[in-house]
Amino acid sequence: MTGDSWREHRRALLRDDPAEAERSARLLDQLGTEDRDDEEIEAEHRASRLAAAREYAPHARLDEELQLRLTGPDTDGGALRFQWGDALLQPVEHMVSVAAGTPVQLELTGISVGSTVVHARPVAIPTDATGSDTLDAPTTSAASTGLGTLTTLLDALESERDVREWARLFDAVESVSRALSRYALDLGVTWYDADGRMRRARLTERGRSYVRRLRETNDRDQEIIISGRITELRESGLVKVKTGTAKNAPAYDVRFEEPEELLRMRPGLGDNVHFRVRFRQQLDSMGIARSTEYTYLGPAAEQTSLPLGP
């Protein structure tokens, strides 16, 4: 039986036998030892190895490792189902990259039980042509920066705190959250960095429910004027209006709620128009616009000149 299998077996015995659990707690108390979980024990072992290595090489660093612990009704076997991997692994890599502010590539190094634990690490960057070695590498890698930010955000989601400062990460986190909900999984993220530190966080149903609430939108309407040249017409009642002659000039899709009204106007491509429209934004609780639309209200009172320069 492997170490992980024994720990799972031991936990099951303690759950099923209150007397055994009490004896274990009493023994741990007598020994002055805390009942630590696997991640804490591993972090202590890594810190000890690093301290020993730095006795001989002051700049020694450990290999970085990411552990993703999946828990749920179907995870007791310690196996990673293909559909889980397809739905989760690439979005997790993307989430770490967004948090790091630069692409981070991860590679799978193993699967273990307790429940299903995915072991991964950042893809090693080859040394450059000058032959510089790891002693000259930055103290904090991009992956470590990303995981530090990400675990802080996940902690905030689980405790339902204000997360607007991480708005740029929210689309990536929501993608992972949806995948977890689809398969009734909770996610535990543990990061072991090169200097012996550990960062960890979880995304459970509580955090995922908070993500869904933050995504609920409210409409914000305002009336604006759009002046420009018609560059596209559709029978469905949509008109594209470009506001300048420059290639990168803004263009707006203005929708007519009654397409017959557009037909009665008999517009043509290239015509200059001056529309009064309702500009509607759907904003979520993060202040992010989830959709925008422009709806025709009527002709504007005056026609303004079309910009001629870029």
Side-chain angles (χ1 to χ4, degrees):
M1 182 179 292
T2 66
D4 285 331
S5 299
W6 166 249
R7 280 191 289 270
E8 286 299 300
H9 179 66
R10 179 65 176 164
R11 288 194 189 106
L13 289 176
L14 293 177
R15 284 195 302 269
D16 298 336
D17 187 348
E20 179 62 22
E22 184 180 347
R23 283 194 297 272
S24 296
R26 189 164 54 247
L27 177 61
L28 289 170
D29 184 60
Q30 291 170 355
L31 295 174
T33 305
E34 295 179 354
D35 189 8
R36 297 166 300 165
D37 58 32
D38 294 348
E39 287 87 356
E40 291 171 323
I41 294 171
E42 175 63 18
E44 185 173 308
H45 288 170
R46 285 171 58 89
S48 298
R49 291 199 303 272
L50 181 62
R54 285 183 171 174
E55 290 290 328
Y56 303 95
H59 299 289
R61 304 175 75 219
L62 297 171
D63 292 334
E64 297 173 317
E65 182 180 353
L66 172 64
Q67 290 185 9
L68 306 174
R69 184 180 296 270
L70 301 174
T71 53
D74 301 312
T75 61
D76 289 343
L80 180 68
R81 296 187 181 182
F82 277 29
Q83 57 185 349
W84 300 348
D86 288 343
L88 280 170
L89 297 186
Q90 194 279 331
V92 166
E93 182 182 71
H94 176 64
M95 185 169 62
V96 175
S97 296
V98 175
T102 189
V104 173
Q105 293 184 5
L106 300 171
E107 57 187 10
L108 188 69
T109 59
I111 306 289
S112 61
V113 296
S115 298
T116 295
V117 184
V118 179
H119 301 265
R121 66 187 177 198
V123 175
I125 300 174
T127 56
D128 58 29
T130 63
S132 62
D133 57 26
T134 56
L135 297 183
D136 298 320
T139 300
T140 304
S141 69
S144 195
T145 299
L147 265 301
T149 301
L150 183 59
T151 51
T152 302
L153 170 56
L154 295 182
D155 278 339
L157 289 172
E158 283 294 301
S159 55
E160 302 183 6
R161 300 198 306 272
D162 186 349
V163 294
R164 282 176 293 183
E165 65 179 284
W166 299 289
R168 65 186 179 87
L169 279 173
F170 217 70
D171 284 344
V173 171
E174 185 188 26
S175 177
V176 172
S177 179
R178 285 198 307 267
L180 292 169
S181 295
R182 187 184 316 152
Y183 299 112
L185 296 170
D186 289 340
L187 174 66
V189 176
T190 304
W191 171 250
Y192 300 105
D193 72 13
D195 290 314
R197 294 183 294 264
M198 176 184 71
R199 295 291 301 268
R200 61 179 176 176
R202 302 184 69 206
L203 185 58
T204 67
E205 174 55 32
R206 179 181 180 181
R208 297 196 301 274
S209 177
Y210 187 44
V211 169
R212 290 192 293 271
R213 294 202 306 274
L214 290 174
R215 273 297 184 243
E216 294 173 356
T217 58
N218 294 302
D219 292 343
R220 186 177 72 179
D221 293 352
Q222 63 182 113
E223 187 175 312
I224 63 173
I225 304 298
I226 293 179
S227 298
R229 175 170 54 90
I230 295 177
T231 59
E232 186 178 337
L233 286 167
R234 296 184 191 172
E235 290 184 1
S236 61
L238 185 137
V239 180
K240 185 179 285 291
V241 179
K242 191 171 183 181
T243 58
T245 57
K247 211 177 229 186
N248 60 348
Y252 300 91
D253 291 334
V254 179
R255 186 167 298 280
F256 283 66
E257 291 183 330
E258 297 182 7
E260 295 78 10
E261 184 176 7
L262 175 61
L263 295 176
R264 288 195 298 268
M265 291 173 60
R266 298 181 181 277
L269 293 177
D271 287 356
N272 288 342
V273 294
H274 195 55
F275 289 160
R276 185 166 52 87
V277 305
R278 181 185 67 229
F279 171 43
R280 170 169 292 172
Q281 282 185 309
Q282 287 191 326
L283 298 174
D284 64 21
S285 298
M286 304 283 290
I288 299 173
R290 290 289 140 200
S291 68
T292 59
E293 62 180 19
Y294 302 87
T295 303
Y296 177 79
L297 297 176
E302 297 180 0
Q303 183 78 26
T304 60
S305 60
L306 189 67
L308 298 179

